[in-house]
Amino acid sequence: MAPPQKLFLAAILSAFIVATTTGDGSNNAAEDIVHSSCLHASYPSLCIRTLSTYSGPTITNRRELAQAAVKVSLSHAKAAAKKLAAVREKVVKKLEKAAVVDCVEMIGDSVDELSRTLSALKRLRVSGGSVNEFRWQMSNAQTWASAALTDDDTCLDGFQGIDGEVKSEVKEWMTKVARVTSNALYMINQLDDKRGKPHVLRP
């Protein structure tokens, strides 16, 4: 019979191996969902990069992936809103000031709409609910995400005919927000057919 110390060490090693193997499998499944879902997104490379580094809960199905995509978009929108608010206090040229003020309002609306999008996705019932209920929540999520994307574009439209460093900075921030929001909307639209069911890996 093996000494108690050896049995104890063997038990610890076995637990470590099981935990490591399980963790790797979970990560691989999440990566598979991200890569396969991002393949036909509006901006595939950006989609893979932002969702592969997503620091939230492990993604196990496409509904969770859509929520993660919206959270990424919301995070970028909030960051852009903070930067725009700071620029608004510094800019002095009249046309630039007006454009930035409008942009602050637009990004504020976008943050609110993305928050509503996320709420709709969290209420989305992927099983046990009626088709009409699912469609209603899907419509809400799609409508709010589309509105957020429109606000992002409207912000940039306000800088037409204006050149300079302020425009370049705002364009960089808002283009990033618009692109991740476009990817998020794509992920939401995919749920219309997939209904957020768990992604089954191919053998």
Side-chain angles (χ1 to χ4, degrees), residues 139-196:
S139 176
N140 287 338
Q142 291 168 324
T143 297
W144 289 120
S146 296
L149 186 57
T150 298
D151 284 332
D152 298 339
D153 291 336
T154 301
C155 166
L156 293 177
D157 290 341
F159 281 89
Q160 290 184 358
I162 300 175
D163 293 315
E165 185 178 349
V166 172
K167 177 181 179 178
S168 297
E169 289 182 338
V170 173
K171 184 177 180 180
E172 180 182 348
W173 302 333
M174 295 308 299
T175 297
K176 184 68 173 291
V177 174
R179 288 179 177 179
V180 292
T181 301
S182 179
N183 283 341
L185 180 57
Y186 171 80
M187 293 301 176
I188 294 170
N189 289 337
Q190 294 308 296
L191 295 180
D192 218 355
D193 295 324
K194 305 297 182 183
R195 296 202 66 170

Side-chain angles (χ1 to χ4, degrees), residues 28-171:
N28 289 338
E31 288 177 5
D32 182 84
I33 295 172
V34 169
H35 282 76
S36 63
S37 299
C38 285
L39 187 61
H40 299 294
S42 303
Y43 304 95
S45 297
L46 178 64
C47 180
I48 292 173
R49 186 168 68 252
T50 55
L51 290 177
S52 294
T53 56
Y54 173 66
S55 59
T58 301
I59 298 167
T60 60
N61 59 57
R62 286 189 169 88
R63 181 169 67 103
E64 292 174 356
L65 180 62
Q67 290 184 25
V70 173
K71 288 178 181 178
V72 167
S73 180
L74 184 57
S75 176
H76 279 80
K78 288 180 176 179
K82 187 175 181 179
K83 292 176 181 177
L84 283 165
V87 170
R88 179 185 56 189
E89 302 305 316
K90 297 177 181 179
V91 69
V92 293
K93 294 181 180 179
K94 187 175 181 179
L95 289 178
E96 284 186 339
K97 184 81 170 182
V100 171
V101 168
D102 287 344
C103 221
V104 168
E105 182 180 351
M106 291 296 102
I107 194 65
D109 289 344
S110 183
V111 167
D112 178 65
E113 288 150 358
L114 288 170
S115 297
R116 291 172 182 266
T117 302
L118 187 57
S119 294
L121 287 177
K122 288 180 178 179
R123 291 193 298 268
L124 192 65
R125 297 188 64 182
V126 296
S127 62
S130 68
V131 173
N132 287 339
E133 180 183 357
F134 177 85
R135 293 293 182 190
W136 170 250
Q137 296 299 345
M138 272 296 301
S139 176
N140 287 338
Q142 291 168 324
T143 297
W144 289 120
S146 296
L149 186 57
T150 298
D151 284 332
D152 298 339
D153 291 336
T154 301
C155 166
L156 293 177
D157 290 341
F159 281 89
Q160 290 184 358
I162 300 175
D163 293 315
E165 185 178 349
V166 172
K167 177 181 179 178
S168 297
E169 289 182 338
V170 173
K171 184 177 180 180

